[in-house]
Amino acid sequence: MRRLQQVPRQIFTSKDETGAAVSQGRLHVLQEKVQQANRTATRLHQEKPSRRLVGLVYFAGFTNEFANAKTDDAVAEELEGLLLRQREQNNPDRSDALLQIIIANGAEKMEAADIVAEKMLVPLIRDDATIMGVIGFDRTIKETRRAIEILGGEGIATVGTTLTGDGIETASPCTSRSSRPTPGKRCSSMSTRST
């Protein structure tokens, strides 16, 4: 029950319902920068509608009851890479798609990853055809595997950027991991998500 009670206040935000920061320092600053880049993408799309919006969910454990520099740094480094790519993609001089990054919090140690996937990510992605998939999944645990199964069951592509557990790629035909991709796997239902 503790897992479910904590989920709503932690997802898609850097603050809980009291206004307290869920993540601190570098990670919090990066989340704010991603949100600013998302606003820029929306503005550029309004100015030039031919540049379609494309969304990507970054799903990681942003909540730490006690500061954990190693975990926060690892997540921050991935988020920095996404922000760099987002800024490059959203250059006003380009004419191709604009990138928005949606930050999703799987709670401390990704312990609520399955609940977040089912209750929040699936409905969000069903309602927003611009979202092309979910990346991140910073821990190889049963909740992460279940989240991948839930998303894959909906035809949502997933990429585990740091997952190393054996067999995680078998959780869904729509998943791969950047550390060792599975050759020949395709998620055919994602091709219908193009707008």
Side-chain angles (χ1 to χ4, degrees):
M1 189 64 165
R2 178 179 175 265
R3 289 174 56 217
L4 187 56
Q5 290 172 340
Q6 289 182 345
V7 171
R9 67 187 177 124
Q10 298 177 4
I11 308 309
F12 311 119
T13 184
S14 57
K15 297 187 178 180
D16 70 16
E17 72 272 6
T18 67
V22 171
S23 54
Q24 304 292 323
R26 175 181 175 201
L27 196 51
H28 178 72
V29 169
L30 283 166
Q31 291 175 78
E32 296 297 324
K33 287 180 178 182
V34 166
Q35 294 305 318
Q36 178 59 44
N38 286 342
R39 288 188 290 274
T40 298
T42 298
R43 180 183 52 78
L44 291 171
H45 175 67
Q46 290 169 344
E47 292 171 3
K48 192 173 183 181
S50 62
R51 290 191 74 185
R52 69 184 179 110
L53 289 171
V54 173
L56 189 61
V57 175
Y58 177 63
F59 192 20
F62 284 85
T63 305
N64 291 306
E65 186 174 342
F66 303 102
N68 183 332
K70 288 182 181 180
T71 299
D72 284 354
D73 284 346
V75 171
E77 287 172 11
E78 285 193 328
L79 203 50
E80 281 175 342
L82 288 168
L83 179 61
L84 289 172
R85 180 64 182 131
Q86 185 180 29
R87 286 178 172 168
E88 179 183 306
Q89 188 68 34
N90 296 347
N91 183 321
D93 297 330
R94 293 179 69 146
S95 60
D96 52 351
L98 297 156
L99 178 61
Q100 291 189 314
I101 304 295
I102 299 95
I103 296 172
N105 184 355
E108 187 171 0
K109 299 179 183 176
M110 291 295 282
E111 291 174 343
D114 51 344
I115 297 169
V116 174
E118 182 178 8
K119 304 281 187 201
M120 304 192 117
L121 296 181
V122 168
L124 173 74
I125 296 168
R126 271 190 202 140
D127 292 344
D128 187 345
T130 68
I131 300 174
M132 303 309 289
V134 181
I135 64 170
F137 303 97
D138 67 75
R139 290 181 188 269
T140 308
I141 60 173
K142 67 181 180 186
E143 291 85 359
T144 301
R145 182 182 180 89
R146 181 70 186 124
I148 291 169
E149 290 169 350
I150 290 165
L151 295 167
E154 296 290 327
I156 299 167
T158 58
V159 176
T161 53
T162 59
L163 298 179
T164 58
D166 288 337
I168 197 75
E169 66 277 359
T170 65
S172 163
C174 300
T175 197
S176 68
R177 53 185 175 177
S178 59
S179 60
R180 188 177 66 210
T182 304
K185 285 180 83 171
R186 300 264 185 252
C187 184
S188 59
S189 57
M190 283 306 292
S191 63
T192 62
R193 296 195 59 78
S194 302
T195 58

